[in-house]
Amino acid sequence: PISRAADLEQWKKHESVFFRINVWQGAVKMAGDHPFAGVGPGAFAAAYPAYRSAELMKWASQHSYEVVYPENIFLQAAAETGFPGLLMLAFLVLFIIKHLKKEEREELDFYLGFLGVIAMNLFGVDLNYISSAMPAVFFAAIVTSDYPSKKFVLKGKGRMIFAAAGAALLAFIFVFQARHLASDVYLSRAVYFSKQAVWDEAISDYEKSLKANPENVAARYFLGSSWYDSKKEGHLAESLKHFEETEKRAPDYVLLHLKKGNVYADLGDIENAEKSFLRMIKLDPYLSAAYLGLARAY
């Protein structure tokens, strides 16, 4: 049993392990290409298509074509914020480990719980937001419990300025998070309507999602797709407009160039259709739909 468990080739045949290994390899390359600032917080999904491995491309029919997270908090920090962000995360984790004392039963439970959180973040599923936020909660708990005598006192105008700045920051964070949450809620509902081919409702919700967060790349991309599929009056022009806006924010997003190629072909613009299909093939040489679109254009 031990030798079988140590057989790495066996584990690679497991779909979940196979997926993570290939996504992690792409995340490492992404971090290597953007070592100082990363691709930007929350921009992993937009930047990842150019880093897919050939094995993952061939397997795309078995999994969502879009990879939203690398499912490893350290690789995500490195890819999105560069090595400075990774070092900050590593410092936070090491600080917590250093200040936990195993000999005290109460802190041992705390320590084991923290290790569980870290383990989940090393192999976690896409929606592990709470466990991803927990290291910061552990950090705050240690600082407030182990350093109670450390005080920062402000008087006079300084106190008022600090309080006003803090209130403004909290208000900004609340509004920012509320808008992004509302955008994602509308996006989820719009995707449901898209799957049911209820295009008017889908388009309306995608537009509401973008109103709440104009930088929601997924909403912009799916809005273009919905306009194309709706066959409504002016659908090709509307679709192309949103695909071009998507490209400004995420040049190689998911199947963007395949869909742009289809729009150009329907418009009779064969030259641009050819360019889009060829760009899609360069990104994913295993995507048969891109070859078929190119063949029809020719």
Side-chain angles (χ1 to χ4, degrees), residues 221 243 246-247 250-251 253-261 280:
Y221 169 79
F243 284 148
T246 300
E247 188 172 1
Y253 191 69
V254 198
L255 297 172
L256 174 64
H257 299 296
L258 171 67
K259 297 193 175 188
K260 279 188 69 178
M280 189 72 241

Side-chain angles (χ1 to χ4, degrees), residues 36-84:
F36 300 111
V39 296
F44 183 87
Y48 183 74
Y51 293 92
R52 284 176 301 205
S53 66
E55 289 76 13
L56 205 60
M57 293 178 195
K58 295 175 185 177
W59 191 63
S61 62
Q62 303 299 316
H63 189 275
S64 171
Y65 201 85
E66 181 183 20
V67 177
V68 182
Y69 306 102
E71 302 192 12
N72 182 301
I73 194 173
F74 293 99
L75 288 179
Q76 185 168 354
E80 293 189 354
T81 60
F83 291 110

Side-chain angles (χ1 to χ4, degrees), residues 201-223:
E201 295 292 340
I203 289 170
S204 175
D205 277 345
Y206 286 129
E207 289 174 344
K208 290 175 183 176
S209 176
L210 287 169
K211 186 176 181 180
N213 175 17
E215 300 304 316
N216 192 327
V217 174
R220 182 80 62 182
Y221 169 79
F222 285 125
L223 177 57

Side-chain angles (χ1 to χ4, degrees), residues 217-234:
V217 174
R220 182 80 62 182
Y221 169 79
F222 285 125
L223 177 57
S225 297
S226 291
W227 266 107
Y228 180 79
D229 293 331
S230 71
K231 307 300 181 186
K232 296 169 65 173
E233 183 179 354

Side-chain angles (χ1 to χ4, degrees), residues 2 11 17 24 28 43 59 66 120 145 168 183 209 239 261 265 273 275:
I2 296 176
W11 287 107
V17 175
W24 290 350
V28 170
W59 191 63
E66 181 183 20
M120 182 175 291
S145 64
S183 179
S209 176
S239 179
K275 290 179 181 178

Side-chain angles (χ1 to χ4, degrees), residues 18-32:
F18 168 85
F19 174 77
R20 282 169 173 77
I21 288 175
N22 281 278
V23 172
W24 290 350
Q25 289 173 347
V28 170
K29 291 179 182 177
M30 191 187 300

Side-chain angles (χ1 to χ4, degrees), residues 55-123:
E55 289 76 13
L56 205 60
M57 293 178 195
K58 295 175 185 177
W59 191 63
S61 62
Q62 303 299 316
H63 189 275
S64 171
Y65 201 85
E66 181 183 20
V67 177
V68 182
Y69 306 102
E71 302 192 12
N72 182 301
I73 194 173
F74 293 99
L75 288 179
Q76 185 168 354
E80 293 189 354
T81 60
F83 291 110
L86 177 61
L87 289 174
M88 290 176 65
L89 177 61
F91 167 79
L92 183 148
V93 172
L94 291 174
F95 176 88
I96 295 172
I97 292 174
K98 180 177 180 295
H99 286 77
L100 293 175
K101 300 176 182 178
K102 293 184 179 179
E103 62 271 16
E104 295 183 20
R105 173 71 183 177
E106 191 173 323
E107 293 200 1
L108 176 59
D109 294 341
F110 194 75
Y111 183 81
L112 294 175
F114 176 71
L115 292 181
V117 167
I118 293 301
M120 182 175 291
N121 278 285
L122 287 174
F123 308 100

Side-chain angles (χ1 to χ4, degrees), residues 9 26 32 46 62 102 128 138 153 156 218 246 273:
E9 293 302 317
Q62 303 299 316
K102 293 184 179 179
N128 61 340
F138 278 94
V153 180
T246 300

